[in-house]
Amino acid sequence: MSDMAKTMHFQIHLTDDCNLKCLHCYHDGSSNNYLDSEQFDYILKEVLDYTRKCGSVPGRAIFCGGEPTLSPILFESIAKCREAGYNSVSVLTNGTLITDEFAQKLRQAGCTSVQICIEGNRETHNHIRNGTFDQVLVAWETCRRNGLVVKNQTTLQPLNYRQIREILDICRDRVDTVNFLRQVPPNKEAAVLTPSQWLEVLKELFILRLSCGRDCFDNYINVRDLHWHHLFEGLCYICNFKQDSFLSVIVEANGDVYPCRKANIKVGNIFRQSLEEIHAKNEVLQRARKKENLNDKCRECSRVERCGGCPGMANAVFGDYMAPDPQCFIEQITPEFWEEILRSDLPEHNLLRSGERPAAADNEVLEYMSLVGIMEEAGEEVAWLKRAGSKAAELGLAVSEEEIQRAADIFRQAMGLRNEANTVVWLKENRLSLEAWEAGLRQSVTLDKLENYFRNKII
């Protein structure tokens, strides 16, 4: 099979029964379905057949619930997925039933990672997740001791969105990755983050990225959301509603199929229809795949191909999955926003720092330039650039905003800076403000104009 084949993930809910009632959960606790071995085998075969028909290969298998550790077929189901070609198998659990023996059985069955989450500091987590903060810390330690990769994924909501650093402090040295995911409210009465609050999260995490280094952010801290996909290189989160085939297959314990389990929108039942039929004929998916059905705000946005908004969030708030994403903050990401980040003081944060380089103060840089004899040369260069600018002004060689933008695009391409976020990181690392960078671009365009002016005079 080609190494370039696409992967298709499989998320299976072995039960919707649970021993907790967390505030942000999409299950209401009204049912306690359990899959048996025969039903699981049927679902797995259907998923594998569909995966092959799409020209894909098995990616990651994810066991969810309810609480998957309640299922009597968890270990055998993990083993079956490994035998079927899933090299990565995760269990998403609240951690309350994890013991050394249980963790050993997970590992022996073929489980590679567990996701056990905190939802904020001790007080906030205990409020959201039924007083289980200490149990989570013990479960993290138990799983790591038994060779399992441990992941935390915090669901961001009004109760915890300002606790990013506290969450990271708790996770440090205890888990292998930290993910952040915004909450899609389980009902219309639940509070949701405003665009400004969601933007606060972006600002906080971006400052931490600058502080800790890109490797830390890309390999340790992750944000799984459509709004971030087009801002940060390496953060890929694509909507399953809008694809030509499922990128992941999500099946509930009663057989219901969902494009995204955060979005409470089922599109069929695997016991009554094939996955191929569900994806080809379901009206929800047919409508979501057509760009002309998008709302005006999303359809006219330049980032629509990389975002398009969250159907689950739109449906939860407005009752229409094709409505505008109520948390879209793109209009608030202005040059002033990035400039504010550039001016911010970076915190000292010990999060898997990598690629760190010693900082040099401005006076140390000037002293070094004097010592190696380049200070005078640099001063002459700056003075010459000023004279060139004055001469261009005398000749009426104005530089337009379009020319500045074109120069900026050329610069980004040459430096491998693919988006605004990459550019801000580069400026911060090189201790430049947006104004200084734009002034440099203006000088460069001005010199080109002067050169062309005098060349034409000579000709």
Side-chain angles (χ1 to χ4, degrees), residues 8-11 47 50 240 246-251 258 275:
M8 187 176 295
H9 305 311
F10 172 37
Q11 180 174 316
V47 170
Y50 178 73
N240 206 21
F246 286 123
L247 300 173
S248 60
V249 176
I250 302 167
V251 184
Y258 291 78
L275 289 170

Side-chain angles (χ1 to χ4, degrees), residues 76-91:
E76 65 180 81
S77 300
I78 291 172
K80 289 173 181 176
C81 283
R82 290 304 298 266
E83 292 169 6
Y86 291 94
N87 293 324
S88 172
V89 177
S90 299
V91 174

Side-chain angles (χ1 to χ4, degrees), residues 391 395 397 449-459:
K391 186 63 176 177
L395 297 171
L397 302 177
K449 282 179 166 285
L450 272 175
E451 183 180 345
N452 289 333
Y453 176 85
F454 287 115
R455 181 185 295 116
N456 291 335
K457 285 289 185 182
I458 293 171
I459 293 174

Side-chain angles (χ1 to χ4, degrees), residues 339 427 431-443:
E339 184 65 46
L427 290 172
R431 301 163 70 188
L432 288 169
S433 66
L434 278 173
E435 288 91 343
W437 180 55
E438 290 174 356
L441 293 173
R442 189 175 296 276
Q443 285 178 339

Side-chain angles (χ1 to χ4, degrees), residues 31-88:
S31 59
N32 57 349
N33 298 299
Y34 281 81
L35 288 173
D36 59 32
S37 295
E38 185 178 352
Q39 290 172 320
F40 178 80
D41 291 345
Y42 177 89
I43 292 171
L44 180 59
K45 181 180 183 303
E46 173 64 23
V47 170
L48 290 172
D49 287 345
Y50 178 73
T51 299
R52 283 190 289 270
K53 287 177 182 177
C54 293
S56 301
V57 296
R60 182 162 67 114
I62 308 160
F63 287 87
C64 307
E67 176 49 47
T69 60
L70 292 172
S71 170
I73 67 167
L74 174 60
F75 302 125
E76 65 180 81
S77 300
I78 291 172
K80 289 173 181 176
C81 283
R82 290 304 298 266
E83 292 169 6
Y86 291 94
N87 293 324
S88 172

Side-chain angles (χ1 to χ4, degrees), residues 14-15 19 34 63-64 66-78 89-116 138-148:
L14 293 178
T15 177
N19 57 342
Y34 281 81
F63 287 87
C64 307
E67 176 49 47
T69 60
L70 292 172
S71 170
I73 67 167
L74 174 60
F75 302 125
E76 65 180 81
S77 300
I78 291 172
V89 177
S90 299
V91 174
L92 278 56
T93 169
N94 58 40
T96 57
L97 302 179
I98 297 292
T99 62
D100 272 302
E101 180 184 4
F102 200 98
Q104 289 166 14
K105 288 182 178 180
L106 284 175
R107 181 71 173 161
Q108 291 165 3
C111 177
T112 55
S113 66
V114 293
Q115 180 177 295
I116 310 172
V138 171
W140 283 350
E141 182 181 358
T142 301
C143 289
R144 293 189 92 186
R145 184 169 60 244
N146 287 281
L148 294 166

Side-chain angles (χ1 to χ4, degrees), residues 162-175:
R162 285 183 169 161
Q163 296 178 18
I164 298 290
R165 296 193 193 187
E166 289 181 84
I167 292 166
L168 292 173
D169 282 335
I170 294 165
C171 290
R172 185 168 58 240
D173 299 326
R174 289 190 172 108
V175 305

